[in-house]
Amino acid sequence: MTRPNRPIYLDNHATTPVDPRVLAAMRPWWEENFANPGSIEHAMGRAAEAAVEEARGHVAALIGAEATEILFTSGATEANNLAIKGAARFAKGQGTERLRIVTVVTEHKCVLESVKDLAAEGFEPVILPVGPDGLLDPDLLDRTLAAAPALLVSVMAVNNEIGVAQDLAGIGAVAKRHGALFHTDAAQAAGRVAIDVQAIRADLVSLSGHKVYGPKGIGALYVRRRPRVRLAPLFSGGGQERGLRSGTLPAPLIVGLGEACRIASLEGALDSGRIAGQRDRFLAALSAAVPGVAVNGTMDRRVAGNLSVSFPGGVTAQAIMAAAPDVCVSTGSACSSAEVETSYVLKALGLEEARARSTLRIGIGRFTSPADVDLAARALAGAWQRAMQSVESTESPDKLAAARNPRPASAAE
Amino acid sequence: MALYLDANATEPLRPEARAAVIRALDLVGNPSSVHGAGRAARRVLETARDQVAARFGASPAEVVFTSGGTEANAIAIAALSRGRRVLAGATEHPAVLAAAPGATLLPVLADGTLDLAALDAALAGGPAALVCLMAANNETGVLHPLAEAASLCRAHGALLHVDGVQAAGRVALAIGQADSLAISGHKLGGPKGAGALLLRPGIDLPALIAGGGQERGRRGGTEALPAIAGLGAAAEAADPAAAARLAPLRDAIEAGAEAAVAGAGAPRLPNTTSLVLPGVAAETQVIALDLAGVQVSAGSACSSGKVRASHVLAAMGLGAAAGSAIRVSLPWDAPPDTAERFLAAWSAMRARLSRKAMAGAT
């Protein structure tokens, strides 16, 4: 098989390439007007401020919000930290008696870590399970909240490993019925599935720039104005973003996020249709070449670009990746992708250890071509066959992976 | 053509930084991903870390990338102040003062430099402390006597956090005897959206932003790769020896302006002057100069738009004159005719103001 002249990138959950239109929108704010958007005393600063505000409008429009409800952060991780810790700390300062923070076992690490951090501050984390399909049962949430009131419910819109899309409207309705705040981490969902803050009754929504073909280093948090949701800042400073997020606003990155959201508003649905077609094409080719390949998580409620596929025959995903160096895929979340631990998300679905270890995460994106998915399916199938031979010749797949993919432990962050 | 003299709010992007940003934007990978694209991104990240470490005398392992100077200051103060009282210079940046709301303020002398005797007395008069000092002031450019302050801190068992945001790239700056040093990318000609906290080895820094374990567990979130790459390139390019060429331009402005200069007698950054025109509100001056295409500021950019006398100048004992000072800060690429162009606009403004004053008097 001929090798592609560049790696095929099917890891669009870890990060997406910057859309050339986004790059074009950002460049003038590095090259022509570099001013600080806080410098509204002079013309250059005011122009930068206007660009920031236009971007804020684009971000808001993507999720049916108003511009004044959008705060810029350094990314979705910070937005999740600010939403969860900020809401909890503010409410505690007001003397709330609601101390339970409810979330789900398959959330992104930064959400789980934020909720766990709050335990040290006197809050009570409640981590709910998901079904084998990866979805939270709204009835379970209902019973949980009925048993004891919660301050905040945080449920991600789309899972970063298995791509399943939670029933946000149903979950939001339950949360509101019980008087809890509702936060959703929409980093993987924005631009890929429609999100309307009114329809899902969200109080807080986290967004990421680099997951929507924008730049790394920028994200946003939606904070509902009516009724007003109050937060304590994570850190203080010059008082930007209404005191909730201090620090000079990175105008070029914000413009990039705004442009990425504007494009997503216009083209998200078209993207999803095309991406779903390629996902189906990829899965058909892979299933034909690798009998017994299985998809994890429901196919009924799923973001178009995601597949979580387990390979048969006792091979590990790492062995397959090592044997397919021209394809960029992952075993799970990028944050933990160098860890040897099996995915806690797959474990939560009830997958056995061996199957979890044979699972690859495939993320098809806006710039994936039909040729890319054809080549990738062929490369991964070939890699699986070679890995199988290694298994059969008693060579441990772990050793094979280690030999082909040496990596210092210090890079495992 | 506009004359941008508000570098202390933000510096123009250096070409080396711009190239690094654009190169990094073309990389697809997440630095935490193990595949080839991820490893390429990781190399860019670690190169930037080496560049920052080399410029500011730290170990690469002790460089923590943040979203900017504000976050770097905030996480340092949160970590180092555990179990300690905080002493902060009276002229510190609002971000530092806001991050240490209970801090005891250390007075400065009339020239804006730290009163070392007051620091010594404050350290002697209480339990273990964290001292927060800026290397250079954002409004006046005045440099604190950091080496002397660090010696006092050491003698009293205090920790020292240095806000190096304005000094970085303009004068020699290293973590040296301090326990932590905060820098900002866009103040040294890098992009906005990245900064760094440099630590003395052995300092424990719990993550204020929890996440996927990035930055050795000290700062969660996918690294802002293009901004960080730009920060690294800017740190390498921002040679303080080159910034020294700004001093004669600044001196020519001061010589021609016929105004008082806050902190004139103190060691200062080569690019900054705080011109005081008693009786004329800073806002009036800034607006007039803006209309003439000269972009300066009345204070720090964060508080811009809020009409408020500078706490920095007040701490220096300027009294009512504190509301009449403008900050002129030259960017790294200030053109050779900067002083002439500034002074032309400045003189025109003063002439107009005195005509107005005379018309008002009659």
Side-chain angles (χ1 to χ4, degrees):
Chain A
M1 182 185 138
T2 52
R3 295 183 62 174
N5 62 2
R6 63 175 172 84
I8 298 164
Y9 189 78
L10 295 184
D11 197 13
N12 283 280
H13 302 297
T15 189
T16 54
V18 174
D19 190 298
R21 295 167 289 182
V22 170
L23 177 56
M26 287 191 285
R27 282 188 85 135
W29 301 99
W30 280 310
E31 298 176 349
E32 289 158 31
N33 184 349
F34 48 81
N36 187 325
S39 297
I40 53 172
E41 296 161 308
H42 53 66
M44 287 172 69
R46 287 192 297 273
E49 189 203 29
V52 164
E53 294 313 314
E54 187 184 343
R56 202 187 297 276
H58 292 321
V59 175
L62 179 64
I63 57 170
E66 287 170 25
T68 53
E69 297 177 308
I70 300 297
L71 282 182
F72 292 112
T73 67
S74 65
T77 291
E78 186 186 339
N80 284 331
N81 274 259
L82 176 57
I84 295 167
K85 294 176 184 170
R89 288 172 183 162
F90 184 88
K92 195 157 192 220
Q94 301 291 305
T96 182
E97 287 172 6
R98 292 180 177 234
L99 295 174
R100 301 210 320 163
I101 312 286
V102 178
T103 188
V104 179
V105 64
T106 51
E107 290 293 308
H108 190 274
K109 248 190 181 151
C110 67
V111 167
L112 293 170
E113 293 290 322
S114 293
V115 172
K116 285 174 189 163
D117 281 356
L118 286 173
E121 299 175 28
F123 293 92
E124 297 169 36
V126 178
I127 316 283
L128 296 177
V130 294
D133 55 4
L135 297 173
L136 169 67
D137 177 359
D139 289 340
L140 172 63
L141 179 65
D142 196 16
R143 291 195 299 278
T144 303
L145 297 179
L151 173 64
L152 173 74
V153 172
S154 179
V155 178
M156 70 201 315
V158 166
N159 185 271
N160 53 309
E161 292 190 33
I162 55 174
V164 300
Q166 301 286 355
D167 173 14
L168 293 184
I171 290 164
V174 171
K176 299 323 292 178
R177 190 157 70 239
H178 291 283
L181 292 170
F182 176 39
H183 166 247
T184 186
D185 168 8
Q188 296 288 347
R192 297 173 180 172
V193 297
I195 291 189
D196 182 303
V197 294
Q198 304 306 347
I200 64 175
R201 302 186 65 185
D203 295 298
L204 298 154
V205 179
S206 304
L207 302 170
S208 164
H210 75 103
K211 312 280 192 192
V212 287
Y213 310 96
K216 296 177 183 65
I218 193 71
L221 179 65
Y222 160 79
V223 185
R224 181 174 286 281
R225 296 273 276 187
R226 282 184 298 270
R228 188 165 176 210
V229 173
R230 304 288 301 270
L231 304 175
L234 289 173
F235 54 86
S236 305
Q240 290 91 343
E241 300 296 84
R242 286 180 277 119
L244 285 174
R245 208 301 186 167
S246 288
T248 295
L249 290 168
L253 301 179
I254 289 171
V255 167
L257 173 62
E259 179 67 1
C261 289
R262 192 188 67 80
I263 294 169
S265 295
L266 292 173
E267 302 179 4
L270 272 173
D271 277 348
S272 290
R274 191 178 65 253
I275 289 168
Q278 295 187 10
R279 187 254 332 260
D280 294 343
R281 183 183 175 111
F282 173 85
L283 186 58
L286 189 69
S287 303
V290 184
V293 77
V295 177
N296 305 306
T298 179
M299 288 301 283
D300 299 333
R301 295 186 61 91
R302 194 180 195 104
V303 71
N306 174 275
L307 285 171
S308 168
V309 286
S310 300
F311 286 75
V315 299
T316 68
Q318 280 169 341
I320 298 172
M321 283 174 65
D326 294 327
V327 186
C328 294
V329 291
S330 59
T331 55
S333 158
C335 307
S336 53
S337 55
E339 291 173 9
V340 278
E341 272 175 53
T342 49
S343 152
Y344 64 86
V345 173
L346 297 177
K347 264 189 209 164
L349 302 187
L351 260 60
E352 283 176 20
E353 178 84 12
R355 176 158 166 191
R357 291 170 73 85
S358 75
T359 301
L360 282 181
R361 176 179 72 169
I362 311 291
I364 294 167
R366 179 182 290 165
F367 300 104
T368 309
S369 72
D372 285 340
V373 295
D374 291 350
L375 276 170
R378 235 182 302 158
L380 290 175
W384 171 75
Q385 274 160 3
R386 287 193 295 283
M388 283 287 284
Q389 283 156 15
S390 304
V391 172
E392 283 155 12
S393 67
T394 72
E395 175 73 49
S396 149
D398 288 344
K399 280 186 194 160
L400 179 78
R404 293 206 186 168
N405 193 12
R407 186 174 171 76
S410 66
E413 292 146 7
Chain B
M1 166 102 192
L3 183 63
Y4 182 80
L5 300 178
D6 197 11
N8 291 10
T10 192
E11 286 273 4
L13 195 64
R14 293 173 186 271
E16 298 89 345
R18 181 171 61 217
V21 168
I22 301 295
R23 271 200 308 276
L25 282 167
D26 281 339
L27 286 177
V28 174
N30 181 323
S32 293
S33 295
V34 293
H35 48 60
R39 292 196 303 276
R42 164 73 54 179
R43 281 194 293 277
V44 170
L45 181 67
E46 297 311 323
T47 298
R49 200 183 303 281
D50 292 344
Q51 289 168 319
V52 170
R55 173 59 76 199
F56 302 107
S59 154
E62 303 303 330
V63 174
V64 180
F65 287 118
T66 67
S67 65
T70 294
E71 185 188 334
N73 277 317
I75 64 176
I77 293 169
L80 271 54
S81 66
R82 284 173 296 169
R84 289 174 179 265
R85 67 197 166 108
V86 182
L87 306 175
T91 57
E92 294 303 301
H93 190 275
V96 166
L97 296 176
T104 301
L105 295 186
L106 300 166
V108 295
L109 304 174
D111 68 357
T113 58
L114 178 70
D115 183 342
L116 286 165
L119 172 63
D120 195 18
L123 286 171
L130 164 67
V131 176
C132 300
L133 288 176
M134 60 200 336
N137 184 268
N138 52 307
E139 295 186 30
T140 60
V142 168
L143 307 177
H144 276 326
L146 279 186
E148 291 83 348
S151 296
L152 288 174
C153 289
R154 188 133 301 210
H156 290 285
L159 296 178
L160 174 62
H161 168 67
V162 174
D163 171 7
V165 165
Q166 294 291 347
R170 295 173 179 156
V171 290
L173 177 72
I175 184 164
Q177 296 298 305
D179 296 281
S180 58
L181 171 67
I183 62 158
S184 157
H186 75 103
K187 306 270 172 154
L188 52 83
K192 297 169 189 64
L197 181 66
L198 289 72
L199 297 167
R200 178 173 60 75
I203 296 277
D204 171 40
L205 187 75
L208 203 73
I209 296 175
Q214 290 91 347
E215 300 295 289
R216 295 171 176 252
R218 298 179 291 195
R219 205 287 187 182
T222 296
E223 297 86 348
L225 198 64
I228 289 171
L231 164 61
E236 191 172 276
D239 182 356
R245 81 167 181 94
L246 299 174
L249 301 178
R250 190 267 318 268
D251 294 345
I253 288 174
E254 292 182 352
E258 295 173 5
V261 175
R268 284 186 291 155
L269 293 174
N271 79 317
T272 306
T273 183
S274 174
L275 299 177
V276 186
L277 202 52
V280 185
E283 305 295 323
T284 307
Q285 302 177 54
V286 170
I287 291 166
L289 291 170
D290 183 36
L291 290 172
V294 176
Q295 323 226 320
V296 300
S297 130
S300 65
C302 326
S303 61
S304 298
K306 300 167 202 161
V307 185
R308 188 168 66 182
S310 153
H311 75 286
V312 173
L313 302 179
M316 293 165 69
L318 262 74
S324 301
I326 61 164
R327 174 180 74 181
V328 180
S329 51
L330 280 61
W332 62 269
D333 62 351
D337 61 352
T338 294
E340 291 83 345
R341 290 170 61 187
F342 172 79
L343 289 170
W346 172 262
S347 305
M349 176 190 80
R350 290 189 71 165
R352 205 166 48 247
L353 289 173
S354 66
R355 272 201 306 276
K356 255 194 192 161
M358 280 163 65
T362 54

